[in-house]
Amino acid sequence: AQKITQTQPGMFVQEKEAVTLDCTYDTSDPSYGLFWYKQPSSGEMIFLIYQGSYDQQNATEGRYSLNFQKARKSANLVISASQLGDSAMYFCAMRETGSARQLTFGSGTQLTVLP
Amino acid sequence: NAGVTQTPKFQVLKTGQSMTLQCAQDMNHEYMSWYRQDPGMGLRLIHYSVGAGITDQGEVPNGYNVSRSTTEDFPLRLLSAAPSQTSVYFCASRRDGIGDQPQHFGDGTRLSIL
């Protein structure tokens, strides 16, 4: 079973608008962490934001926030006030804290910000 | 301010050749890992290490070997290159096993097998 599902292969958003990128996950581990990474066309992986399964509040980092709905097993990334530089591939990833194994990634969402 | 350094950035091999992708980090991180990224897919874990002398397999380990003789270095060896190994390879590290530590990624190695 796929552990991380990103159902939006591509998304478009107008500059200065907000956009939500969807991510659902599957785990039986009560303790886990959820990460979002950005991959611009240059190829590097840039860490954006983290949410722990026991965190009471949704994570925020500047224009990025994570809409964490534990019962629904979703961890959507919200980008506010989109900028042209936000155009990139975005990956949701999970690490089950009880395991030494590394991240499990979704297939990604290609975001294009339109001027 | 090097972080995770991967070499080479690009490589073309012929089927059957062997080579080693280098990865070095200068952050004294215990955990290191190798991923491959194929079109339309997220990164998939090949091998990982939780410290010098300790390695383990990930999701797609076949055709690859690793070793971890020092904290800093974690090379990935392709034993006999196959076209199916054409991919972008990322090395990553994180400080330790605590859940909220993010992975720090290298810039990737683009590998083509002809």
Side-chain angles (χ1 to χ4, degrees):
Chain A
Q2 196 166 3
K3 292 208 166 190
I4 297 285
T5 303
Q6 294 181 254
T7 57
Q8 306 153 314
M11 288 278 288
F12 293 89
V13 64
Q14 209 68 37
E15 195 178 6
K16 299 180 184 177
E17 299 285 316
V19 63
T20 298
L21 306 184
D22 294 342
C23 173
T24 58
Y25 59 92
D26 184 30
T27 181
S28 57
D29 190 341
S31 179
Y32 53 89
L34 296 155
F35 299 78
W36 278 91
Y37 282 84
K38 172 184 178 181
Q39 187 179 42
S41 57
S42 51
E44 70 269 30
M45 296 289 288
I46 302 167
F47 166 70
L48 295 178
I49 196 166
Y50 166 84
Q51 179 84 43
S53 59
Y54 292 121
D55 292 344
Q56 295 297 315
Q57 294 190 334
N58 288 342
T60 61
E61 288 286 348
R63 294 186 298 110
Y64 304 108
S65 60
L66 204 153
N67 184 2
F68 181 48
Q69 299 187 43
K70 195 170 182 177
R72 292 187 172 186
K73 292 189 175 179
S74 74
N76 299 338
L77 177 70
V78 180
I79 305 174
S80 62
S82 297
Q83 301 172 357
L84 295 178
D86 293 334
S87 293
M89 181 72 85
Y90 289 81
F91 290 99
C92 180
M94 178 175 67
R95 181 165 63 232
E96 291 158 304
T97 306
S99 169
R101 295 198 170 209
Q102 308 293 302
L103 295 171
T104 301
F105 284 83
S107 55
T109 296
Q110 180 69 48
L111 177 67
T112 302
V113 180
L114 303 171
Chain B
N1 196 24
V4 179
T5 303
Q6 290 184 237
T7 56
K9 294 191 184 305
F10 303 94
Q11 184 70 47
V12 178
L13 293 178
K14 294 182 178 179
T15 297
Q17 287 185 316
S18 62
M19 81 159 294
T20 299
L21 308 185
Q22 301 292 344
C23 175
Q25 53 90 10
D26 61 358
M27 298 173 282
N28 202 32
H29 284 177
E30 288 293 323
Y31 283 45
M32 297 186 73
S33 51
W34 278 101
Y35 295 86
R36 60 177 287 173
Q37 183 179 24
D38 300 305
M41 304 180 73
L43 280 68
R44 292 183 294 167
L45 182 66
I46 304 172
H47 286 285
Y48 67 99
S49 169
V50 300
I54 306 169
T55 63
D56 204 349
Q57 296 181 352
E59 180 185 356
V60 288
N62 292 340
Y64 307 95
N65 273 356
V66 292
S67 59
R68 184 98 180 269
S69 55
T70 67
T71 299
E72 294 77 19
D73 300 301
F74 190 45
L76 178 73
R77 297 182 187 84
L78 278 70
L79 309 173
S80 178
S84 61
Q85 294 178 304
T86 294
S87 190
V88 180
Y89 291 83
F90 286 96
C91 179
S93 74
R94 63 184 170 112
R95 190 180 70 195
D96 51 34
I98 296 175
D100 62 353
Q101 297 300 314
Q103 301 267 33
H104 297 261
F105 284 86
D107 289 340
T109 295
R110 292 185 177 273
L111 183 63
S112 294
I113 315 297
L114 304 178

